[in-house]
Amino acid sequence: MTKKKTPKTKPLVHDDVDTSCVESLNEELAALKSQLQQKIETERQLSNDLDNLLASSGIAKILLNRDGDIMRFTPKAQDIFNLINQDIGRPIGDVSGKIDDPTLLDDIAKARDTLVPVQDDVKMKNGDWYNRRILPHGTQDQVFDGMVIAFSDVSELKRYQRQSLWAQHLTQNILNTVHNPLLALDSDMNVVWAGRSFYRLFETTDKNVIGKSLFSVAQGQWNIPELRRNLARVLPDQMPIDSFSLSVETPDKGKRELVLTARKLANEHAETDLILVALKDVTEQKQARQGLLDREARLQAILNAVPEAIITIDTDGIITRFSPPSTGLMGYTQAEVLGQNVSILMPAPYRHKHDSYISAFLETGNAKIIGTGRELEARHKSGKLVPIHLSVSEVMIDDKRQFIGVIRDLTKEKESRKQLEQAQKMEAIGQLTGGIAHDFNNLLTVIIGNIELLEQRPDHPDRAAMLGEALEAANLGEALVSKLLLFSKNRNLAPKRLNLRHVVEDIQPLLLRSLGEQIEIRMDLANDLDLVFADPGQIETAVLNLAINARDAMPHGGTLTLAARQLIHDGDKAQTNLNDLAPGRYVVLSVADTGIGMTPKVLDRAFEPFFTTKDVGKGSGLGLSMIYGWVRQYGGNLILSSKTHEGTVASLYLPTVTAEEIGLPAPVSLSDTPVSHRGGAVILLVEDDPRVLNLTRSRLEHLGYSVIEATDGPAALKQLEKHKNISLMLSDVVMPHGIDGIELANKANALYPELKIILATGYAPKAENVIWPVLRKPYGIETLADALDKALGGSV
């Protein structure tokens, strides 16, 4: 900028005035001009600083003069109101912006008139919120000079406020929704807040609760000294109340049992913290618990009173209950078995298979024993086996599947049953004696007569035929004696897998001789019968007794039909008389006659022990009751149907089994048995009867074996010590000198474990349960040969 030249002026004074005064005046003017310029520069700098300050501020500000015209604005205000530099000097009311502020002009006028700041929260069109303040300002002399409009962004604060308000409402709603009554107390134990559940429980309102002492509400029922002491420690000692039981009376529900808990609740907006009190109504819970305890006590009393052992297990086979009688039966205490697998009470092979039985049932729903019951053996703590009857049922306890086993000790019952069955067998034999004696005498007549003829005429031309007749008669006599031994001997029951067709066919010859010529026997036995699990002696005894009953019901003769067939019972109640049978597969063995039948009264009592319609001395009344008893133990049933003059049908229903179900090996086909080349082995023959000794030696030599003889046990042991090449010992069971065949076999096996042993006997009850093969006398040479082949295992 160029300086303007000052035009020369004429001197104000005459030449005679002192030029020094002029110079002094010029200097003062120059100084004033410099000061004025400095002040203008300072004002400009302050204005620039103010502009920079406003520009750097994040707050939107607009400066107005006294008339409301725009003097200055910040960039933030420029953005809000869409301002440009040309808007300076325009009235604020002439501009429009992005903010929704309908009261702006009114508030400006109010602030101008009252000189008092005015503020309000206004909303942007994009949803943001600003706090708008209008502040009057004046000069240094306190003269009103204009106004400042400031806009502060409070969007985040608004958002926090909304969230806080929402959280507050949510918390309030949650607390009011909670079923348990809630209270908030101050340090003086006055109620400052109560939930809706509290109001509902005591049927009261805020007026009667808020601001009141807890110990005065609800007719003072809370005024309990111990509760006072505990609540007084919550705030100062930070000692919460976890569980305080009290009883209160309510207007609608009567007496209620409550559990009180209390915690310190921090209160930032008050001088003291609060106590949050929660109440839980446990009336029904206590009643249910007491009911459960009462039921448990009754159940325990029942378990203690019931003589049978009762055991419950879960789906993993773990014992969950063990009744006191179980201890007496199994030898274990409750502490020893609870939490253990039930397999500890089972003998092999069931012990290792029990869990798989449960898994199979849970997967398939196919129950083998549930709901039916079965005779089994349990394992006592001492290791001995205990005969039991087990019934299993399934229940839901606490929403969990449980299995309840009721176990009855059959030890005494087994003994009684043996005695009853033996008496029953002897009764049957007594009725058979006459017919058997007649038949056996006929057989002996044939044998003796043919042998006498051969002695008198050794060269008789029919010599071979006569020998054949004698041999056939002897074989028939052997079969008859075997059946007599079967029914007369006292032996342990030995259930096994049976084909009922074979059992009935084996007993048919005895039936023919027992029933007489007036009774026609018909057989209707299916070829494809499944196997059943039972004692063959029980089956044969049952068939014989049913046949004798049928014979007595046909005094003038008739027809006896023995039939066996398959049955699949699907649980349909429409199947007559099968309601007591569990669904499954059965074999039905029926004995039907054409006799006089039974009256309804007799039919109803047919299974009662000692009930009989026969004359005194001709029947014990035990037959049907015994059959019914054991067939039920096997999971089956005995069903009678009869009409007067139309005959009677007795049907045995026995469940079918597989090898896996009862833990027995599958049957081996005879074709799988190795057969040796006869001869070559050395046999020790032990027999005290010289005639049997000579005959057996001749047979063995005829088969190609080398024979060493001994006539008693001590002599046999000496022979074994002397001859190391003996492969097999064939010994009679009944022998003199203090060592019978079984004792000899035990000693020989201990000394020579590789020695093969076969026993032979005509009648020896002790030989029933030995581990070695037993030949029943009399036996044929082919039977002897087969036994030797099997024992030697095909070796020579």
Side-chain angles (χ1 to χ4, degrees):
M1 176 180 292
T2 57
K3 295 182 179 180
K4 295 182 179 181
K5 293 182 179 181
T6 305
K8 294 182 178 182
T9 59
K10 293 181 179 182
L12 297 176
V13 293
H14 298 282
D15 293 337
D16 56 353
V17 178
D18 191 351
T19 59
S20 62
C21 291
V22 175
E23 292 177 355
S24 175
L25 181 61
N26 288 334
E27 289 177 357
E28 289 180 359
L29 290 174
L32 288 173
K33 182 178 180 180
S34 176
Q35 291 177 359
L36 180 60
Q37 288 179 344
Q38 182 66 35
K39 187 174 182 180
I40 292 172
E41 185 65 26
T42 300
E43 289 291 335
R44 183 184 298 111
Q45 185 64 41
L46 288 174
S47 178
N48 291 337
D49 290 343
L50 178 59
D51 289 340
N52 292 334
L53 178 62
L54 293 175
S56 62
S57 173
I59 301 176
K61 291 184 179 180
I62 300 176
L63 274 68
L64 306 178
N65 60 18
R66 286 175 293 179
D67 297 327
D69 298 332
I70 299 173
M71 302 301 295
R72 292 177 184 274
F73 52 81
T74 64
K76 186 68 175 178
Q78 181 180 6
D79 180 63
I80 293 175
F81 283 91
N82 298 318
L83 296 173
I84 58 177
N85 291 332
Q86 285 76 7
D87 290 326
I88 294 177
R90 293 178 60 188
I92 186 65
D94 291 348
V95 299
S96 61
K98 304 175 184 178
I99 198 163
D100 185 12
D101 192 359
T103 64
L104 175 63
L105 297 180
D106 292 338
D107 289 346
I108 290 174
K110 182 178 180 180
R112 182 185 58 203
D113 296 340
T114 62
L115 299 180
V116 175
V118 178
Q119 69 175 355
D120 194 9
D121 288 338
V122 294
K123 189 176 182 181
M124 292 281 291
K125 293 179 181 180
N126 64 358
D128 292 341
W129 283 87
Y130 283 85
N131 178 256
R132 184 254 294 154
R133 301 182 65 194
I134 303 175
L135 297 91
H137 70 85
T139 64
Q140 294 181 353
D141 299 332
Q142 300 299 320
V143 177
F144 174 71
D145 193 42
M147 287 165 288
V148 177
I149 305 175
F151 293 87
S152 301
D153 190 346
V154 293
S155 301
E156 192 69 20
L157 179 60
K158 282 286 187 178
R159 188 159 43 251
Y160 287 147
Q161 287 177 343
R162 288 195 303 270
Q163 292 176 352
S164 176
L165 184 61
W166 179 84
Q168 182 179 354
H169 289 163
L170 177 63
T171 302
Q172 188 75 12
N173 290 331
I174 291 175
L175 293 177
N176 285 330
T177 306
V178 171
H179 181 71
N180 294 335
L182 299 175
L183 292 170
L185 309 177
D186 60 17
S187 59
D188 296 327
M189 303 304 156
N190 295 321
V191 180
V192 298
W193 176 87
R196 292 177 184 171
S197 297
F198 182 86
Y199 293 131
R200 285 196 298 266
L201 180 63
F202 291 98
E203 295 185 3
T204 186
T205 61
D206 284 346
K207 179 180 179 181
N208 300 321
V209 176
I210 302 301
K212 307 291 184 181
S213 171
L214 172 67
F215 308 115
S216 65
V217 300
Q219 294 78 43
Q221 295 186 77
W222 308 90
N223 193 11
I224 303 172
E226 185 180 358
L227 179 59
R228 278 179 171 272
R229 290 193 298 271
N230 291 341
L231 286 173
R233 299 177 62 186
V234 173
L235 292 181
D237 300 338
Q238 297 189 13
M239 184 73 70
I241 301 175
D242 288 327
S243 179
F244 185 89
S245 298
L246 67 157
S247 300
V248 297
E249 287 289 340
T250 63
D252 182 38
K253 296 184 178 181
K255 185 176 182 180
R256 310 300 292 175
E257 299 293 330
L258 304 180
V259 173
L260 180 146
T261 58
R263 295 284 187 278
K264 176 182 177 181
L265 184 65
N267 186 8
E268 300 176 355
H269 306 291
E271 296 181 357
T272 61
D273 294 327
L274 300 178
I275 300 174
L276 179 64
V277 176
L279 303 171
K280 183 178 181 181
D281 190 342
V282 296
T283 307
E284 284 77 14
Q285 182 178 342
K286 279 192 171 184
Q287 292 173 349
R289 184 184 299 114
Q290 187 59 46
L292 182 61
L293 292 175
D294 293 342
R295 289 194 298 272
E296 182 71 18
R298 288 194 296 269
L299 176 59
Q300 191 62 44
I302 293 173
L303 293 179
N304 293 340
V306 172
E308 285 80 6
I310 299 178
I311 301 173
T312 62
I313 65 172
D314 60 19
T315 53
D316 294 324
I318 303 302
I319 299 174
T320 58
R321 186 182 295 275
F322 197 73
S323 70
S326 304
T327 298
L329 176 61
M330 310 304 301
Y332 291 95
T333 64
Q334 286 189 357
E336 290 175 319
V337 297
L338 292 180
Q340 300 293 323
N341 194 287
V342 72
S343 59
I344 67 172
L345 307 178
M346 299 178 176
Y350 310 105
R351 170 178 294 190
H352 305 294
K353 294 184 178 182
H354 181 263
D355 289 344
S356 64
Y357 294 157
I358 293 181
S359 299
F361 169 69
L362 295 177
E363 292 175 4
T364 66
N366 186 16
K368 299 297 183 181
I369 190 172
I370 294 178
T372 60
R374 182 171 294 178
E375 285 191 12
L376 301 169
E377 286 184 329
R379 183 178 180 273
H380 191 271
K381 181 180 179 181
S382 64
K384 71 177 182 179
L385 299 181
V386 180
I388 64 170
H389 177 267
L390 173 64
S391 297
V392 181
S393 60
E394 182 184 9
V395 296
M396 295 295 293
I397 301 177
D398 297 331
D399 296 329
K400 295 180 181 178
R401 299 175 83 175
Q402 299 272 315
F403 300 97
I404 300 179
V406 179
I407 303 174
R408 186 171 76 254
D409 188 354
L410 296 180
T411 303
K412 295 181 179 179
E413 186 176 326
K414 285 272 188 179
E415 292 297 326
S416 300
R417 192 185 301 171
K418 288 179 190 177
Q419 297 174 5
L420 289 172
E421 287 183 347
Q422 186 65 16
Q424 183 184 9
K425 292 175 183 178
M426 296 310 297
E427 177 186 343
I429 290 176
Q431 299 185 43
L432 293 173
T433 302
I436 290 176
H438 175 269
D439 284 351
F440 198 74
N441 285 332
N442 287 340
L443 295 175
L444 290 177
T445 301
V446 174
I447 296 171
I448 295 171
N450 280 287
I451 292 175
E452 286 177 342
L453 290 175
L454 287 174
E455 284 182 336
Q456 295 174 2
R457 297 182 58 184
D459 56 348
H460 194 284
D462 295 329
R463 179 175 177 272
M466 295 168 64
L467 285 173
E469 289 182 2
L471 181 59
E472 181 182 1
N475 288 333
L476 291 174
E478 184 272 334
L480 186 58
V481 171
S482 296
K483 292 301 178 183
L484 285 174
L485 291 176
L486 175 66
F487 286 102
S488 65
K489 63 191 174 185
N490 183 12
R491 62 184 179 86
N492 293 327
L493 296 178
K496 61 180 67 175
R497 291 182 299 131
L498 302 172
N499 186 316
L500 290 185
R501 175 186 177 91
H502 298 160
V503 176
V504 175
E505 288 177 340
D506 289 343
I507 201 175
Q508 184 180 8
L510 187 59
L511 292 176
L512 290 171
R513 291 175 174 81
S514 303
L515 302 182
E517 297 178 356
Q518 288 183 313
I519 306 298
E520 178 187 358
I521 298 178
R522 295 179 181 176
M523 310 288 279
D524 183 13
L525 309 173
N527 293 320
D528 57 347
L529 295 179
D530 289 341
L531 301 181
V532 300
F533 186 66
D535 182 271
Q538 285 180 320
I539 300 294
E540 291 171 332
T541 302
V543 173
L544 179 60
N545 275 277
L546 292 174
I548 292 175
N549 287 343
R551 182 198 64 184
D552 295 342
M554 299 182 287
H556 304 295
T559 301
L560 178 73
T561 303
L562 298 174
R565 60 184 176 88
Q566 295 285 133
L567 172 69
I568 298 178
H569 178 39
D570 58 4
D572 185 3
K573 294 183 178 181
Q575 291 181 274
T576 306
N577 297 326
L578 298 187
N579 292 341
D580 291 337
L581 282 179
R585 297 176 63 89
Y586 293 86
V587 174
V588 184
L589 174 61
S590 60
V591 179
D593 63 60
T594 58
I596 59 176
M598 301 182 191
T599 65
K601 184 176 180 181
V602 171
L603 187 61
D604 289 340
R605 300 187 60 191
F607 294 140
E608 293 182 13
F610 306 107
F611 173 75
T612 179
T613 58
K614 298 178 182 181
D615 294 337
V616 177
K618 293 186 176 181
S620 64
L622 295 174
L624 288 178
S625 63
M626 290 295 297
I627 298 171
Y628 178 80
W630 64 255
V631 77
R632 292 294 287 172
Q633 302 296 336
Y634 289 132
N637 204 350
L638 171 61
I639 297 177
L640 291 179
S641 61
S642 182
K643 291 184 178 180
T644 307
H645 307 303
E646 294 184 15
T648 300
V649 179
S651 299
L652 285 169
Y653 290 79
L654 289 171
T656 64
V657 293
T658 62
E660 291 75 14
E661 289 180 64
I662 56 176
L664 296 176
V668 179
S669 172
L670 292 178
S671 61
D672 297 332
T673 304
V675 180
S676 69
H677 299 288
R678 293 178 179 175
V682 178
I683 307 296
L684 173 60
L685 175 60
V686 187
E687 176 60 64
D688 63 310
D689 190 313
R691 288 170 296 182
V692 178
L693 179 66
N694 292 333
L695 174 62
T696 307
R697 183 186 64 247
S698 298
R699 285 177 166 177
L700 291 172
E701 290 175 345
H702 175 74
L703 293 173
Y705 294 101
S706 299
V707 180
I708 298 175
E709 298 178 0
T711 57
D712 55 34
L717 293 175
K718 291 181 181 179
Q719 293 287 23
L720 287 172
E721 183 180 0
K722 180 179 179 182
H723 300 279
K724 303 300 183 183
N725 60 338
I726 296 175
S727 301
L728 182 144
M729 180 176 71
L730 173 60
S731 173
D732 188 22
V733 173
V734 180
M735 290 190 302
H737 304 139
I739 300 180
D740 62 21
I742 297 175
E743 296 176 67
L744 173 62
N746 289 330
K747 291 183 178 182
N749 179 254
L751 294 171
Y752 310 101
E754 300 299 324
L755 179 68
K756 303 296 189 295
I757 299 174
I758 297 177
L759 299 178
T761 182
Y763 173 68
K766 290 176 61 178
E768 286 296 328
N769 298 311
V770 297
I771 62 174
W772 298 284
V774 177
L775 285 173
R776 297 294 177 182
K777 296 179 181 178
Y779 51 82
I781 190 170
E782 288 299 325
T783 302
L784 174 61
D786 290 344
L788 292 170
D789 282 342
K790 291 177 181 178
L792 292 171
S795 61
V796 179

